[in-house]
Amino acid sequence: MFLANVSLFDFRNYAELELALERSATVFFGGNAQGKTNLLEAVALSALTHSPRTQQAAELVRFGQPAARVTCGVQSDAGLKELEVRVSISPTAPSRASRRFTLNGIPKRSADMMGSLRVVLFWPDDLQLVKGPGEGRRRFLNTLLSQIDPDHARELTRYGRLLEQRNALLRAIREGRQPVEGLDYWTDALAESGAAIMVERQRRLLELQPIAAAFHRELSDDRERLDLRYRPAGVRIGEAPQELVSEQLKLAMRDARDEEIGRGQTAVGPQRDDIEVWLDDHEARLFASQGQQRSAVLSLKLAELHYLAEVTGEQPVLLLDDVMSELDPARRERLLAALQPGPQALITAADLNDLPKSILERATVFRVEQGAIHA
Ligand SMILES: Nc1ncnc2c1ncn2[C@@H]1O[C@H](COP(=O)(O)OP(=O)(O)OP(=O)(O)O)[C@@H](O)[C@H]1O
Ligand SMILES: [Mg+2]
């Protein structure tokens, strides 16, 4: 698939933008704070329904304006699609905003938008993917799985709601506002949804693992073996069918009941999962050097790109925000090689000198300045 055009209205520092894109590579360069990341963020918002850099949708609306709009025209095997996201500031609470989505003019729920535009975003924050907290790795997996299968996105939404309701009930029980008997219903519902998510995570990680390992082997000149290990919170999955995982979750929640009520929080389930990255016999989060982490992160990102293309049969759009300057020449070359046959790429750089000649020769280059884009 490829992004044929993007239009923005009062999004971040863009008052109005109409941009047509080429199928190959496009480079956006310009000084700091001009709007390079904002543009990629708008594309990611259309693809993923939320911004990768903020949970607060209100921040996306241009200062002082009531609403923002992002429209993306996407050409894929299924034809041309128009995705639109509107973010409107709440008239009563200016720090809050609602998001509304349409696909070809028809209103959609957020999970139903997934898969219409698939992206792989790679930006400096991703360098924390190996060293940082589990939340980043869960998000990596959620994004990948939801883009492959919108049902997974729907299950994650459902799980998130159930979790919120169950946690609210735990707090109400702690404060004596609700009887403990009501908990079983929510435990069962949460366990069933959680098990569906965990079994899918396990299955997909097993498929992703050899791809990431192959990239890492190459980046480390055959010296290191990368392993991804799924650590589901509170259960053992192995080959267990979903019903068994669900039973394990229910049991674990019943065992932890007093603790859960005390904390007002659910103790087990996919919100606590981790994905461990191992290099040979050591966990990378704890022991990897800077260079090893960078290679491991790059391997994960290349695996994401490769796997997404393989299972969906279509190349996703690659969004590279300021990462070339973070990579040494060897890793840069590997990343560029992944661009050679295939995906459309939108690449930002503060300085064109950070980009290899081979990219610049075949890319369309735009200069970004104060929320405007110039040829
Ligand atoms: N809601 C908003 N309304 C108006 N301007 C905003 C809003 N949110 C962010 N900005 C501004 O957008 C500007 C550009 O941000 P962006 O992150 O795109 O910069 P950049 O070109 O990627 O810079 P860098 O090279 O430093 O990464 C910043 O000056 C920021 O203050
Ligand atoms: Mg930036």
Side-chain angles (χ1 to χ4, degrees):
M1 61 175 49
F2 85 100
L3 188 58
N5 54 72
V6 184
S7 86
L8 305 182
F9 188 77
D10 284 342
F11 181 87
R12 295 272 194 193
N13 69 333
Y14 290 89
E16 220 175 332
L17 174 77
E18 292 282 342
L19 185 67
L21 291 161
E22 297 289 330
R23 204 179 181 126
S24 61
T26 307
V27 167
F28 300 92
F29 81 101
N32 296 133
Q34 300 303 312
K36 302 181 299 295
T37 301
N38 292 348
L39 178 65
L40 297 200
E41 182 184 32
V43 176
L45 170 72
S46 300
L48 308 174
T49 72
H50 55 261
S51 161
R53 68 169 164 182
T54 179
Q55 306 258 28
Q56 310 303 324
E59 291 172 15
L60 305 173
V61 179
R62 194 158 74 96
F63 298 145
Q65 302 304 312
R69 192 185 70 219
V70 179
T71 314
C72 288
V74 181
Q75 186 72 53
S76 74
D77 295 347
L80 186 67
K81 284 184 188 168
E82 190 182 81
L83 286 68
E84 189 164 282
V85 186
R86 279 169 195 266
V87 182
S88 308
I89 302 274
S90 155
T92 49
S95 64
R96 298 175 66 92
S98 64
R99 294 164 306 151
R100 295 261 177 281
F101 307 94
T102 63
L103 185 57
N104 293 335
I106 300 163
K108 296 278 177 191
R109 284 185 302 185
S110 65
D112 298 329
M113 296 295 284
M114 298 299 293
S116 294
L117 168 60
R118 295 189 204 93
V119 297
V120 170
L121 171 64
F122 189 10
W123 63 344
D125 277 16
D126 286 322
L127 294 171
Q128 284 299 309
L129 201 52
V130 167
K131 254 320 203 216
E135 193 199 340
R137 290 179 291 280
R138 284 193 295 275
R139 201 178 320 121
F140 168 80
L141 212 51
N142 289 349
T143 303
L144 174 60
L145 271 50
S146 297
Q147 292 198 92
I148 291 173
D149 180 5
D151 278 345
H152 193 78
R154 282 184 271 274
E155 196 64 64
L156 285 169
T157 309
R158 197 171 105 79
Y159 185 84
R161 279 205 206 103
L162 289 168
L163 181 65
E164 233 172 73
Q165 282 161 319
R166 187 171 185 275
N167 286 346
L169 180 59
L170 287 169
R171 289 191 295 275
I173 294 169
R174 181 182 64 196
E175 289 152 18
R177 291 184 280 116
Q178 289 285 338
V180 75
E181 287 71 32
L183 194 58
D184 281 353
Y185 170 83
W186 293 101
T187 301
D188 291 355
L190 193 69
E192 275 151 34
S193 174
I197 292 167
M198 288 168 133
V199 167
E200 188 67 358
R201 283 181 176 175
Q202 160 93 350
R203 182 171 85 83
R204 294 290 182 190
L205 262 181
L206 281 176
E207 292 180 353
L208 191 68
Q209 145 63 27
I211 304 171
F215 280 118
H216 193 84
R217 200 179 311 125
E218 189 191 323
L219 280 167
S220 68
D221 287 329
D222 232 348
R223 281 194 300 261
E224 285 167 9
R225 188 168 36 88
L226 178 142
D227 197 10
L228 299 177
R229 300 184 188 171
Y230 181 37
R231 294 282 181 246
V235 299
R236 286 171 168 278
I237 295 189
E239 304 277 292
Q242 194 172 312
E243 304 80 73
L244 220 63
V245 176
S246 167
E247 285 311 311
Q248 289 184 58
L249 278 174
K250 287 177 200 171
L251 279 178
M253 282 188 253
R254 292 203 179 114
D255 283 349
R257 194 170 80 173
D258 291 345
E259 182 203 325
E260 285 191 323
I261 292 170
R263 291 197 188 179
Q265 250 183 21
T266 298
V268 295
Q271 77 283 7
R272 295 272 176 103
D273 283 354
D274 205 347
I275 301 112
E276 291 174 3
V277 182
W278 285 64
L279 294 177
D280 295 322
D281 301 323
H282 303 286
E283 197 187 339
R285 184 172 59 88
L286 306 174
F287 297 106
S289 72
Q290 286 266 11
Q292 284 175 314
Q293 284 173 55
R294 275 167 196 248
S295 291
V297 169
L298 184 54
S299 303
L300 283 175
K301 284 280 138 186
L302 290 169
E304 181 185 13
L305 180 67
H306 184 96
Y307 185 61
L308 204 48
E310 186 181 276
V311 294
T312 65
E314 277 186 308
Q315 290 280 4
V317 177
L318 188 56
L319 307 175
L320 295 179
D321 189 31
D322 222 2
V323 283
M324 289 297 179
S325 60
E326 303 275 347
L327 300 175
D328 61 50
R331 294 190 186 93
R332 211 181 271 186
E333 280 312 312
R334 188 60 199 85
L335 181 54
L336 287 176
L339 296 182
Q340 280 316 330
Q344 183 189 27
L346 310 188
I347 303 166
T348 74
D351 188 342
L352 282 182
N353 293 321
D354 288 336
L355 296 177
K357 289 235 159 30
S358 59
I359 273 272
L360 291 172
E361 276 161 9
R362 59 193 182 85
T364 311
V365 178
F366 290 117
R367 186 167 50 83
V368 182
E369 198 179 335
Q370 294 189 9
I373 292 186
H374 309 279

